[in-house]
Amino acid sequence: MEITTRDLLTVLHGMGFGALFMLAFSGALAELYRISAPGAPSSMSTREQGLLAFYLAAMVILAWLTVFSGAYLIYPWYRAVPPAGLTDLSDYPRRLLLSSGKTSEWHNVGMEWKEHVAWVAPIAMTMVAYVAMKYRRSIAQHRNMRVAVLTFAVAAFLATGVAGTFGAFLNKYAPVRGGAVITLMQGK
Amino acid sequence: MSAIRAGQDPEGIPNGPGAAAILGAGIGCGALGCLAFAGDASPAVGKLLNFYNPVGTLSGVTTVTIIVWLASWFALGRLWGNKNIAMGAVNIVAFASLAIGLLLTFPPFMDLLQGK
């Protein structure tokens, strides 16, 4: 069982950071709605406040790790330019996709959309975490602030969904390959 | 956007810091869309935004976006830190900027605006 360093870092970006961030949304949205909805309990215990702060801070860290690892570790390998005359483009995902009309839109629409829209998520979630931690339960007294926090949280979720979905498809049609080989297990 | 000093919330925190964070995030998302579109539509702008060659235009788009977002959040926070703000107007501008950001990062919409 072998894996290359590029494969490993791509998995870390997509599954380690991105998917974990995506999974955390259900809990965050439910909790943000619970603390901010009219009729919710008028106070939060110190433990509840600490847990929410930790949860949202972890989401913010995951969101930034996802976009920075994607842009500055994986993307340069994805968009690398092959030497002139090379016919096997399997190590050059962008050029591989663009080499055929059957796959070019995975880059022109999928990657072009993903690489930009993904950055909405960390910006939005940083704001959501800041407002939720600063106002805590009293956010229920600010209807418009509550609406903004939930709207930006949903926008972050949708942006992450777009980036994650296209990331999975792009990695299927033109995976980032190469780098040093790491042997995880030896077969018999 | 009128600021009113009276009427702090029950726990004594004015809504200004929250409003600054919300509008700052909106402006950041709007900047992301505008820069992505500008980099795509103009080769000269795209070249200008190429801060780090292995990443290309994306490096400048995202770096400038983060600077615009943090600078606007900081400036609005300084301006509104102790005030209560008309949040309805803040939300309208923030949501419009968010919508611009989401639309201008969608390649078919970029192409439509460029007549491609």
Side-chain angles (χ1 to χ4, degrees):
Chain A
M1 187 190 289
E2 292 181 339
I3 191 168
T4 67
T5 49
R6 290 184 184 184
D7 286 330
L8 187 63
L9 287 169
T10 304
V11 168
L12 186 68
H13 157 71
M15 297 297 292
F17 302 147
L20 200 55
F21 174 59
M22 185 87 177
L23 281 171
F25 267 106
S26 54
L29 288 171
E31 185 61 11
L32 287 170
Y33 181 78
R34 190 185 75 84
I35 65 163
S36 64
S42 58
S43 64
M44 288 172 77
S45 68
T46 309
R47 187 171 172 274
E48 284 176 323
Q49 287 176 17
L51 190 63
L52 180 62
F54 173 78
Y55 194 93
L56 292 174
M59 282 187 76
V60 170
I61 291 167
L62 282 173
W64 284 109
L65 282 173
T66 306
V67 293
F68 274 109
S69 64
Y72 288 92
L73 286 177
I74 315 302
Y75 190 56
W77 296 327
Y78 170 85
R79 70 190 293 273
V81 179
L86 190 76
T87 51
D88 178 9
L89 297 172
S90 58
D91 285 342
Y92 302 89
R94 179 175 177 269
R95 292 301 174 96
L96 180 65
L97 291 173
L98 291 174
S99 67
S100 165
K102 291 178 181 172
T103 55
S104 59
E105 297 315 285
W106 283 114
H107 171 78
N108 291 331
V109 176
M111 180 49 101
E112 293 284 344
W113 192 12
K114 163 190 164 60
E115 74 187 33
H116 290 117
V117 80
W119 291 80
V120 167
I123 293 173
M125 280 312 296
T126 303
M127 178 278 281
V128 167
Y130 169 80
V131 173
M133 284 191 249
K134 185 161 186 72
Y135 289 89
R136 297 179 178 173
R137 181 64 188 88
S138 71
I139 198 173
Q141 309 297 324
H142 300 279
R143 183 181 171 277
N144 282 318
M145 196 182 289
R146 197 170 71 227
V147 169
V149 162
L150 289 171
T151 302
F152 272 84
V154 169
F157 175 69
L158 294 176
T160 307
V162 168
T165 303
F166 276 107
F169 279 114
L170 285 159
N171 204 45
K172 181 175 173 57
Y173 289 107
V176 170
R177 291 194 170 122
V181 174
I182 302 165
T183 303
L184 300 173
M185 291 175 84
Q186 194 67 52
K188 289 175 184 172
Chain B
M1 246 169 274
S2 62
I4 46 171
R5 284 181 176 278
Q8 294 196 336
D9 81 19
E11 292 189 13
I13 309 171
N15 72 10
I22 290 163
L23 188 54
I27 290 169
C29 293
L32 174 70
C34 292
L35 288 160
F37 177 72
D40 187 62
S42 162
V45 175
K47 200 175 169 185
L48 205 66
L49 290 168
N50 186 359
F51 291 1
Y52 177 56
N53 210 36
V55 179
T57 304
L58 183 65
S59 60
V61 168
T62 54
T63 302
V64 176
T65 292
I66 290 171
I67 291 168
V68 169
W69 164 52
L70 292 177
S72 58
W73 184 2
F74 177 76
L76 291 167
R78 290 288 297 262
L79 200 65
W80 294 344
N82 300 315
K83 295 174 182 173
N84 275 299
I85 303 300
M87 276 300 300
V90 168
N91 276 7
I92 288 169
V93 178
F95 293 164
S97 297
L98 175 64
I100 287 168
L102 293 174
L103 276 174
L104 288 179
T105 52
F106 184 49
F109 189 75
M110 282 191 202
D111 292 345
L112 185 73
L113 290 183
Q114 293 173 62
K116 286 183 183 171

